[in-house]
Amino acid sequence: MSGPTEHFDRSQHGHLVIVGGHEDRENSKQILSRFVQLCGGAQATIAVITAASRVPDVMWERYDTVFRDIGVREVVRVDLPDRATANDADLAARVRACDGIWMTGGDQKRLLAMIGGTLLDEAMHRALKESGACIGGTSAGASAMCGHMLADGKADLLPEKGSVSLGAGLGFVQRVVIDQHFSERHRLARLLTVVAQNPYLLGIGIDEDTALVVERGVGIEVIGAGSVTVVDGRTMISNVADIPAGGTPQLIDVRLHLLPTGSSFALPEEIHHPHQLPPDATRDTPAALTDFVRNVTKRNPLS
Amino acid sequence: MSGPTEHFDRSQHGHLVIVGGHEDRENSKQILSRFVQLCGGAQATIAVITAASRVPDVMWERYDTVFRDIGVREVVRVDLPDRATANDADLAARVRACDGIWMTGGDQKRLLAMIGGTLLDEAMHRALKESGACIGGTSAGASAMCGHMLADGKADLLPEKGSVSLGAGLGFVQRVVIDQHFSERHRLARLLTVVAQNPYLLGIGIDEDTALVVERGVGIEVIGAGSVTVVDGRTMISNVADIPAGGTPQLIDVRLHLLPTGSSFALPEEIHHPHQLPPDATRDTPAALTDFVRNVTKRNPLS
């Protein structure tokens, strides 16, 4: 490694690059370049998992092209014609050895049906947690990162009890739920539905061409064109348990945070340590955001 | 007066019916019927102010028809060809004597340019505050009710510094800003812009065919098809003062309340008193909402 990543001991950390879909692949390629940088740069070996998509060939070509444009020499196709392949020990070992793993868009339910609980799933966690690999995902690949994954949901004008369903995701981050294409598809109401019914989870909405970059144990950063919205319902007062399905819940005292591109927050104990996040960005983490930052950067153990 | 309003001493209170536009005028007419009821029912004299609209004849016919459908016998057209007419003492005296005053949609800037600071404006305040008349307004007529009126603003995907401008409104409610067509036109970002730049104001977003009914000094109720969203930025941490115009502000710890139809809250000291709000609805006002209810129900004096 060279350049800005020189001082960085990747094995101590591991990053997540959680992208709200439609990241730029033609012009600045800001988000994908950052992903590559966090994988270790041109020398990195990056695996591309296309299993969320029904057009995996298109997805493979798309990301093989752009990662090579950025200068990556080793881009590895993880072809998953079926779930059995995701339990292939050789394939899992190859992914375990990668510096970066990218999950394309498609349908997060399809992705989880293919890889959830497989050797490949375990290999991804080991790469992140034991070797400090970088895990990136866009759209469906972003939603799939949580333990509690937004599986289906209407994006109506108002929150609606029973209109959203969760599934078991890959669990790189816990106690959050991630939605993507957030502002563009007006998904606040659906994220509020999730949080109303599951106040245990913090809601994260990521805009298109926008990424929440997580440095495990250290802090977070928002990059790209849009913003990240955080919805915290822990102190909320709601009647959601008492209303019928289809009703709009009353929600009082939901905490909302809007983190535009350029926002970055370190854990309070990490603020004065050298690390990857830009030193010129805001470093003080307001108390209202500390739990969120702690949560999303938590070094969850291998399960 | 008869029926459900029998026990009600209208002179003690005065109501506001603040409607988010497109209230039903064909079927249940729930909101307009409630407005008429709060004016005193069929015996009431209701003035219709069409000055917000560039098609006042259409507006007059629309509301004359629907109020008569509901059973009102005296509907008074307030025709304002120019601002001088709004300073006509006879016209002001006639409006002062009305039981209800309705403001149609159109452009709130036009409405204020025509009546702001005139004898008609004063007559409306006297009718409300001295005689307990009911003031209703829809769309532009709703926005015009605040002291700080949302005059212009882009409804973009994200808040944008400098994209919203306020003007001086009629001031029936103070320390709030009201937006309408709220969920339908995805106006949360623009309301957040207002609150980010003006945290002194609580933001109120009212959906179409939805009304915030205010009983001065007593409490509030939400009726109709949608919800009322309240945005409270008083404890917010924001960089809005430091970013350039056009930038997206970082907003941390905005309090958001979603009040669907059927929500009602009384001031704590009014909870056990008899009043107009439905006795079967939620009466406890959570602490997080108390300031909002106190604010919006405040019996502001004649200025």
Side-chain angles (χ1 to χ4, degrees), chain A residues 82-99:
Chain A
D82 48 38
R83 182 171 166 86
T85 309
N87 271 316
D88 181 272
D90 289 345
L91 178 69
R94 279 171 59 214
V95 170
R96 169 68 185 80
C98 284
D99 305 296

Side-chain angles (χ1 to χ4, degrees), chain A residues 66-88:
Chain A
V66 68
F67 287 139
R68 289 185 191 280
D69 280 354
I70 294 169
V72 179
R73 272 158 283 183
E74 284 289 310
V75 190
V76 177
R77 179 170 188 173
V78 181
D79 199 18
L80 295 173
D82 48 38
R83 182 171 166 86
T85 309
N87 271 316
D88 181 272

Side-chain angles (χ1 to χ4, degrees), chain A residues 23-91:
Chain A
E23 68 285 349
D24 174 69
R25 292 180 296 267
E26 307 292 331
N27 300 301
S28 77
K29 309 181 185 71
Q30 183 194 356
I31 291 170
L32 293 172
S33 296
R34 182 65 178 276
F35 170 73
V36 168
Q37 183 208 343
L38 293 172
C39 294
Q43 283 81 6
T45 301
I46 295 178
V48 176
I49 297 177
T50 58
S53 177
R54 291 198 169 276
V55 287
D57 293 345
V58 174
M59 289 291 171
W60 161 248
E61 194 172 307
R62 174 182 296 174
Y63 286 101
D64 183 44
T65 301
V66 68
F67 287 139
R68 289 185 191 280
D69 280 354
I70 294 169
V72 179
R73 272 158 283 183
E74 284 289 310
V75 190
V76 177
R77 179 170 188 173
V78 181
D79 199 18
L80 295 173
D82 48 38
R83 182 171 166 86
T85 309
N87 271 316
D88 181 272
D90 289 345
L91 178 69

Side-chain angles (χ1 to χ4, degrees), chain B residues 81-136:
Chain B
D82 49 36
R83 184 173 164 85
T85 310
N87 271 317
D88 181 270
D90 288 346
L91 178 71
R94 279 171 58 215
V95 170
R96 169 68 185 81
C98 284
D99 304 295
I101 301 163
W102 179 259
M103 293 180 284
T104 70
D107 177 352
Q108 57 264 39
K109 296 187 298 300
R110 183 180 165 79
L111 178 62
L112 264 292
M114 296 286 272
I115 73 172
T118 63
L119 291 181
L120 178 64
D121 178 348
E122 187 190 342
M124 293 170 74
H125 280 269
R126 288 199 178 278
L128 173 74
K129 295 169 184 174
E130 296 176 348
S131 306
C134 181
I135 310 282

Side-chain angles (χ1 to χ4, degrees), chain B residues 99-179:
Chain B
D99 304 295
I101 301 163
W102 179 259
M103 293 180 284
T104 70
D107 177 352
Q108 57 264 39
K109 296 187 298 300
R110 183 180 165 79
L111 178 62
L112 264 292
M114 296 286 272
I115 73 172
T118 63
L119 291 181
L120 178 64
D121 178 348
E122 187 190 342
M124 293 170 74
H125 280 269
R126 288 199 178 278
L128 173 74
K129 295 169 184 174
E130 296 176 348
S131 306
C134 181
I135 310 282
T138 189
S139 195
S143 286
M145 294 235 192
C146 330
H148 295 84
M149 179 180 78
L150 185 45
D152 277 305
K154 287 199 293 186
D156 251 334
L157 294 178
L158 290 172
E160 183 185 321
K161 179 175 176 176
S163 66
V164 172
S165 63
L166 300 181
L170 293 168
F172 295 117
V173 278
Q174 298 288 350
R175 301 196 67 153
V176 299
V177 66
I178 294 171
D179 206 351

Side-chain angles (χ1 to χ4, degrees), chain A residues 157-159 183-184 186 188 207 226-227 237 248-258 260 263 265 286 288-289, chain B residues 157-159 183-184 186 188 207 226-227 237 248-260 263 265 286 288-289:
Chain A
L157 294 179
L158 291 172
S183 293
E184 292 78 8
H186 303 295
L188 177 66
D207 290 349
S227 296
I237 300 167
T248 302
Q250 186 181 84
L251 306 176
I252 300 189
D253 210 9
V254 174
R255 311 291 168 100
L256 184 144
H257 316 299
L258 184 77
S263 298
F265 300 99
L289 215 58
Chain B
L157 294 178
L158 290 172
S183 294
E184 292 78 8
H186 304 294
L188 178 66
D207 291 349
S227 295
I237 299 166
T248 302
Q250 186 180 84
L251 305 177
I252 300 191
D253 210 11
V254 174
R255 312 292 168 99
L256 185 145
H257 316 297
L258 183 77
L259 312 180
S263 298
F265 300 99
L289 215 58

